[in-house]
Amino acid sequence: MKILVLNAGSSSQKSCLYDLSEPLPSEPPAPLWSAEIDWTDGKLQVKTASGKTFSTILPSHDRRAGMAQMLQTLWSGDTEVITNKAAIDAVGHRVVHGGQYYQQTVRIDAKVKSTIASLIPLAPAHNPANLEGIELVETLLGESVPQFAVFDTAFHSHIPDAAAIYPGPYAWVEAGIRRYGFHGISHAYCADRAAQLLGPDRRLINCHLGNGCSLAAIRNGMSIDTTMGFTPLEGLMMGSRSGSVDPGILLYLMREPGYDAAKLDQLLNQQSGLKGLSGVSHDLRQVQAAMQSGNHQAQLAWDVYIYRIRSGIGAMLMSLGGLDALIFTAGVGENNAILRSAVCQGLEFLGIRLDEGLNQMGQADREISTQDSRVKILVLHTQEDWQIAKSCWASRQ
């Protein structure tokens, strides 16, 4: 069964094709074909399992046209891996926000599309891109090809009300204003992978650290708390997002400089976090380089960034009542040894002991804690596309 996965973000479009059969492999297989578009520079890169590659700059900034060109490399050109588009049996989409409506993967129909559209105000940078991919597939492959929505919020849908409800008026509860959590597909993959490596029924804190950042407290494979909330803006400091701030600051900015909603949105989502505080970049590597040159703002941004992660770990720890493994994943978490070391410093009282030698080496999924560490420290390569493919496979009947 050939499953096409579309993972649309606000600044990128990733896609891959898996060929699956019963039983599913325990290890994530290499896809037959994978592709990525970086919308900032319009670059399309494609590679196949056989080693063929293709790269080009898209001639247009039209997202639908770019995605169509990307998908056509599946059945044409040097990167052809299927004879025609009819070979695709199902399509799985990452959808960021499912609200209170979806707690699991669902087959997409008109009602599902309408609901995803109704949730655009809660994820304006993501749900429109997700819908765009769904509609493009309908156009290219026809409505008879089953499509499935895999929701980032679904993994967190069983968080207890005490952790999910905001202490505002009860009318907020009735209106669905609550903490939903995000990065759920990544958190779910890492929970499954940790269970493979360590055994089931573990208490985990998963640190998804990329341009967007969130933590999840996971017990027995289920999320019981997370740092993101009603929107992906809550929680940790991120690349260009502020994370949690005193809401009184927003009231002050509305009263004094006279900011409107659009200005606040731009400020909190695009001009804050590492980028805003350092004045250098949203990219942690560039912030670290500036620190080494003696840049005070970069050093401050780093200090706040690490403090917020450690503070979040403390909050997740209280939800779990103990810890069996601390996991680092996503672009920063997987690749930045200095960050992992800084986060773990001072956590020895929790039984967390990092082996600096192991921390500095290796690329694959691995354990980087000392032999006498009571808490395992893992680095896992998150594979959201494989998690989406598995969810489609399980939901295909």
Side-chain angles (χ1 to χ4, degrees):
M1 181 179 185
K2 291 182 174 61
I3 298 178
L4 174 66
V5 173
L6 269 69
N7 186 340
S10 57
S11 61
S12 67
Q13 169 71 59
K14 299 177 182 179
S15 190
C16 62
L17 182 72
Y18 289 99
D19 191 4
L20 305 181
S21 59
E22 197 79 50
L24 290 182
S26 58
E27 298 286 332
L32 296 178
W33 165 97
S34 62
E36 181 174 359
I37 299 172
D38 184 339
W39 294 117
T40 58
D41 58 14
K43 187 174 184 180
L44 166 64
Q45 292 183 297
V46 181
K47 62 180 180 179
T48 69
S50 63
K52 296 177 181 178
T53 62
F54 171 75
S55 179
T56 188
I57 300 297
L58 298 172
S60 167
H61 291 291
D62 184 314
R63 291 173 62 105
R64 285 178 65 93
M67 285 192 289
Q69 184 173 339
M70 175 189 72
L71 293 177
Q72 285 164 357
T73 65
L74 270 167
W75 55 80
S76 64
D78 293 337
T79 56
E80 174 188 328
V81 296
I82 55 177
T83 54
N84 58 66
K85 57 189 178 183
I88 297 172
D89 298 299
V91 182
H93 298 265
R94 174 199 179 210
V95 179
V96 166
H97 216 308
Q100 296 187 85
Y101 303 100
Y102 301 112
Q103 286 77 49
Q104 58 189 7
T105 297
V106 297
R107 183 166 176 173
I108 296 169
D109 57 19
K111 182 179 179 182
V112 172
K113 287 197 297 180
S114 177
T115 304
I116 293 171
S118 74
L119 294 166
I120 285 176
L122 303 188
H126 295 90
N127 272 33
N130 305 148
L131 270 176
E132 200 170 44
I134 293 167
E135 292 168 351
L136 176 65
V137 168
E138 287 179 350
T139 301
L140 285 179
L141 305 185
E143 296 187 8
S144 62
V145 176
Q147 298 192 70
F148 298 89
V150 185
F151 297 93
D152 256 335
T153 49
F155 183 63
H156 304 295
S157 60
H158 301 292
I159 288 176
D161 281 350
I165 300 301
Y166 291 106
Y170 191 76
W172 286 9
V173 180
E174 298 174 318
I177 298 176
R178 59 182 289 134
R179 300 180 65 243
Y180 290 104
F182 300 91
H183 293 144
I185 298 169
S186 174
H187 289 305
Y189 172 81
C190 290
D192 290 349
R193 184 65 175 145
Q196 285 182 324
L197 297 174
L198 304 177
D201 305 331
R202 302 289 176 160
R203 296 166 298 178
L204 312 172
I205 295 177
N206 191 52
C207 305
H208 178 106
L209 305 175
N211 189 45
C213 302
S214 70
L215 309 180
I218 301 167
R219 180 190 292 136
N220 301 337
M222 295 181 62
S223 173
I224 62 169
D225 201 0
T226 190
T227 52
M228 284 182 169
F230 180 63
T231 74
L233 186 57
E234 186 180 1
L236 303 179
M237 177 179 171
M238 307 178 215
S240 63
R241 282 179 254 173
S242 64
S244 295
V245 297
D246 180 353
I249 297 171
L250 311 186
L251 298 175
Y252 169 80
L253 293 173
M254 293 170 68
R255 284 195 303 261
E256 299 300 325
Y259 283 22
D260 60 12
K263 179 66 175 176
L264 288 174
D265 189 315
Q266 178 76 9
L267 181 73
L268 296 172
N269 282 293
Q270 304 296 329
Q271 300 173 359
S272 297
L274 288 169
K275 178 181 178 181
L277 203 51
S278 72
V280 174
S281 174
H282 70 277
D283 189 323
L284 185 62
R285 293 167 296 186
Q286 295 185 32
V287 173
Q288 288 175 312
M291 286 166 50
Q292 293 171 0
S293 300
N295 186 309
H296 169 72
Q297 280 186 230
Q299 182 67 57
L300 177 62
W302 167 266
D303 291 343
V304 175
Y305 185 77
I306 297 299
Y307 175 84
R308 290 294 184 103
I309 295 171
R310 287 161 56 90
S311 178
I313 288 172
M316 297 300 103
L317 184 66
M318 296 307 297
S319 298
L320 290 167
L323 187 62
D324 296 307
L326 178 67
I327 302 168
F328 292 93
T329 193
V332 174
E334 294 173 32
N335 298 305
N336 198 308
I338 296 173
L339 171 130
R340 294 192 296 265
S341 180
V343 169
C344 291
Q345 282 179 7
L347 299 183
E348 290 85 358
F349 74 99
L350 296 174
I352 296 174
R353 298 182 182 276
L354 182 72
D355 184 312
E356 281 294 354
L358 296 175
N359 183 41
Q360 297 290 334
M361 57 190 293
Q363 294 294 324
D365 293 352
R366 61 200 185 277
E367 184 178 327
I368 59 171
S369 45
T370 62
Q371 290 187 350
D372 64 345
S373 179
R374 295 198 307 273
V375 176
K376 302 293 186 183
I377 308 172
L378 302 179
V379 179
L380 300 181
H381 173 51
T382 188
Q383 302 204 45
E384 292 177 322
D385 293 341
W386 174 237
Q387 191 70 18
I388 293 169
K390 287 195 301 180
S391 296
C392 293
W393 174 270
S395 305
R396 69 193 188 281
Q397 301 298 336

